[in-house]
Amino acid sequence: MKSRATIHRDFAIAQIDDRLYSAFIEHMGRAIYTGIYEPDHPTANADGFRQDVLELVRGLKIPAIRYPGGNFVSAYKWEDGIGPQADRPVRLDLAWRSKETNQVGINEFAKWARDAEIEMMLAVNLGTRGIEEARNFVEYCNHPSGTYWSDLRRSHGVDQPYGVNMWCLGNEMDGPWQIGHMEAKEYGRLADETSKAVKAFGKGIETVVCGSSNDQMPTYPDWERQVLEECYENVDYISLHKYFGNNSRDSLNYFAKIEETGRYIQSIGGVIDYVKAKKRAKNDIYICFDEWNVWYHNRAQDSKNWQSWDWPEAPALLEEDYNLEDAIFVGGLLNEFIRRSDRVKIACIAQLVNVIAPIRTETGGPAWATTIYYPYQFASLHGRGTALNVAVDGPRYDARVAQDVNYLDVAAVLAPDGRSITIFAINRSPDATMDLDLALHGFDGLGLIDHQVMGGNSADARIANTAAQPDRITPRKGEKLAVADGRVTGELPAFSYSVIRLS
Ligand code: AHR
């Protein structure tokens, strides 16, 4: 199978916002407790945070992290998580039928985020609570001193304000499962007023309003229209969520869900433009894709478990064993975010540790990188700069979710130095090697710096990394590409993900 592709240095899509490679972590399952925080673990520091996990997190160079939920946030009292740990209440978490000990709250999490060199992106509870609690939370976090909430923070040993600039206005408020679920207009009004209150704390604060929980919701995309009609001028981003799976064991259809996601982004872009025009608004709103990932391996069983269990503390939940196929999918989805970086400015892999995560742990035992860790890491490390258009001419296929889909899934990023370029290329074919001929125009004397490959054989599609075998699926050096006279030529193995770096 042969594919030709063309890139020109001047044909840019957009400047990529570094926050395209952000993450999300929620108080649920073993994400926080025995995920990032486990005071009895041999690697825990004085604050109780696992350093083996922190090291894996640091390797991802994550720009921002959304916290503390998720469905959890819609019944959460942030005040339960401040002050002496021994005095904190244990509460029932209604979202996941679990016990929340509140041993980690905003100040512990902020310490962890500082050590991980990640900016916090905080969500406020608009399910059981509202404007008052949101403004108190922002004041506790962001105001220097001399007021009730800021002095309370200082009395908790945090002298300097956190200066959190990104605030999410609730979570999935369109979902009937959400505690405090609302109608679009009702939520749009509340989001508008909450956003105004949050932004009153200073310039530079940005807010994210909830879009649909996914593109299959019965209220999609009218939810977005109605919500934005209430709050367009006072918010900066609208959130999109989508989770993926391959229950039908049809890899090509699975990979085509990336095209479907492109349509989702495009449709919401259209709604944004429509509301902007209707309101004669001056400001622009972008997309914050603040929950995305593969979630299907244990989904049905997990759902049965948590709906019937008896309020356990930090139970195993949504612990997916990601395989090679999932890694290729995640690489492709990140490619789509790069290709849509004119609209999508922030995206958060959901989640970070144990719960549908690139990093897994055993309680008291090891931490390891799942297969999806690697494409996420490559995109985060090398996908910063300017997204370039790639014209592709090659074989295509029809799938159930999308037609006329390229076997070659490719994205290109010009680095901030203006000279180096990274190409993320996937050969989706389960059995055919792809002869690639990629022409690069507007560059001088490019040479190959590195080529890393994952996969190469669809027989390995279901192989996962586990605690016992953490390195079954990892990247290796590619040897079948050459660069000469402004062309990358050679072979992309069947069923593979490649990162090709040129300078
Ligand atoms: O990430 C798991 C859950 O998925 C989140 O809590 C919720 O927002 C979404 O439905």
Side-chain angles (χ1 to χ4, degrees), residues 334 437 442 467 474 496:
L334 286 158
D437 180 358
T474 54
S496 70

Side-chain angles (χ1 to χ4, degrees), residues 73-87:
V73 81
S74 292
Y76 178 53
K77 274 184 88 174
W78 67 270
E79 304 91 320
D80 288 344
I82 55 176
Q85 282 172 308
D87 299 345

Side-chain angles (χ1 to χ4, degrees), residues 24 26 28 66 69-72 96 171-172 177-178 213 241 243 291 295 299 318 350-351 355-356:
F24 165 49
E26 176 168 4
M28 73 172 283
R66 178 169 170 255
N71 295 341
F72 169 79
W96 305 108
N171 178 68
E172 294 189 345
W177 60 85
Q178 201 68 216
S213 299
H241 291 182
Y243 290 98
E291 284 188 35
W295 174 8
R299 194 168 180 155
L318 277 52
Q351 300 189 10
V355 175
I356 35 176

Side-chain angles (χ1 to χ4, degrees), residues 345-409:
K345 295 295 170 192
I346 309 173
C348 306
I349 190 169
Q351 300 189 10
L352 185 61
V353 182
N354 285 333
V355 175
I356 35 176
I359 298 167
R360 293 276 302 277
T361 71
E362 272 188 352
T363 306
W368 70 98
T370 66
T371 62
I372 65 169
Y373 181 94
Y374 301 101
Y376 175 41
Q377 182 184 44
F378 282 126
S380 178
L381 296 184
H382 306 301
R384 301 186 188 213
T386 308
L388 298 181
N389 261 301
V390 189
V392 175
D393 178 14
R396 292 162 177 262
Y397 66 94
D398 287 338
R400 285 195 310 284
V401 297
Q403 275 74 52
D404 207 23
V405 180
N406 265 306
Y407 279 95
L408 175 64
D409 172 348

Side-chain angles (χ1 to χ4, degrees), residues 288-322:
C288 172
F289 214 122
D290 56 26
E291 284 188 35
W292 66 266
N293 207 345
V294 174
W295 174 8
Y296 82 102
H297 294 285
N298 308 323
R299 194 168 180 155
Q301 189 54 49
D302 270 329
S303 164
K304 272 191 205 141
N305 291 352
W306 71 259
Q307 287 180 45
S308 59
W309 64 33
D310 192 21
W311 306 96
E313 194 181 309
L317 184 58
L318 277 52
E319 300 197 359
E320 300 263 55
D321 286 328
Y322 290 124

